[in-house]
Amino acid sequence: DRSTAEATAVVLVAPDTGIGFRGWSRDAKSVHLLRWSTGGNQLALVERDLTSGVEREIFRGEGVYTLDPVLSPDGKKVYYRSVISGGSKPPFDEVALVERDLAAGTDRELIRAALPRGLSLSPDGRFIAYSSNESGDFNIYVRRFPEGDAKTRVSTEGGIGPQWSRDGTELFFQPPDGKKLIAVSVRK
């Protein structure tokens, strides 16, 4: 029963070192963080070694239209949201999910949808979870990946900020009010 579990908080990364936690490295010796570039107009995905504190930039977006970058399980690709239309501030009309091959430096559009946000790639790289308002309210959806077909809604009363468990058997998210953390079992 998770409601009675006790926990001890340990600060792994000081609050001023990044603007958002994006996940753990495969060996759990470093974390992936989002950080604004020096000029403040480009979002970067960085890896911070938890022992040495050394950071390595993995990906840098191009302007304010690159959002939510996530690293593939094998570390060879980054997936991010790219604004297609709707101006420079939310609400955006249309957003694409884009794959960047880090070695080649090339981009490929995978999915175009009404405002997907909060991307989270499953540990095996076969599924992507995201929040979208395509039903009128923000809910959590899971799609096979990279095919993009077989979309399934997993939230019943709205949801934001999906994150996969380390083994990929559960998906965690918050309701829109952010007052609790919900876990759902995932059958693949």
Side-chain angles (χ1 to χ4, degrees):
D1 179 14
R2 292 173 193 222
S3 63
T4 61
E6 291 185 29
T8 302
V10 176
V11 177
L12 298 175
V13 182
D16 63 345
T17 61
I19 64 165
F21 174 77
R22 294 305 293 162
W24 293 88
S25 63
R26 293 186 95 175
D27 62 7
K29 294 181 180 179
S30 58
V31 292
H32 298 140
L33 303 168
L34 294 179
R35 175 190 308 277
W36 288 108
S37 64
T38 306
N41 65 349
Q42 293 178 322
L43 199 58
L45 180 63
V46 298
E47 183 173 75
R48 180 183 175 101
D49 183 286
L50 293 172
T51 303
S52 69
V54 172
E55 288 187 0
R56 170 181 74 91
E57 186 174 289
I58 299 170
F59 168 82
R60 180 180 297 251
E62 289 136 20
V64 296
Y65 299 106
T66 303
L67 309 164
D68 291 337
V70 292
L71 189 64
S72 65
D74 64 8
K76 295 179 180 180
K77 297 177 181 177
V78 168
Y79 300 94
Y80 65 92
R81 294 185 304 135
S82 180
V83 175
I84 303 300
S85 62
S88 62
K89 295 183 179 178
F92 303 120
D93 296 330
E94 195 170 27
V95 177
L97 173 61
V98 179
E99 173 187 79
R100 162 89 41 99
D101 183 308
L102 293 174
T106 56
D107 289 346
R108 179 172 68 111
E109 185 176 307
L110 301 174
I111 299 170
R112 196 177 276 218
L115 197 58
R117 64 198 301 182
L119 305 175
S120 183
L121 197 59
S122 65
D124 64 6
R126 294 179 41 221
F127 296 89
I128 192 157
Y130 61 94
S131 180
S132 174
N133 66 349
E134 61 194 72
S135 65
D137 297 316
F138 279 98
N139 279 287
I140 304 296
Y141 296 88
V142 174
R143 287 182 183 240
R144 285 198 311 211
F145 194 74
E147 299 89 357
D149 59 352
K151 173 180 67 178
T152 302
R153 180 175 155 179
V154 298
S155 59
T156 58
E157 298 178 19
I160 56 174
Q163 290 291 322
W164 291 92
S165 63
R166 188 172 183 95
D167 64 4
T169 61
E170 289 183 297
L171 188 62
F172 301 96
F173 60 91
Q174 292 183 294
D177 67 10
K179 292 185 178 180
K180 58 185 171 182
L181 182 65
I182 299 168
V184 293
S185 294
V186 178
R187 291 186 310 262
K188 296 181 182 179

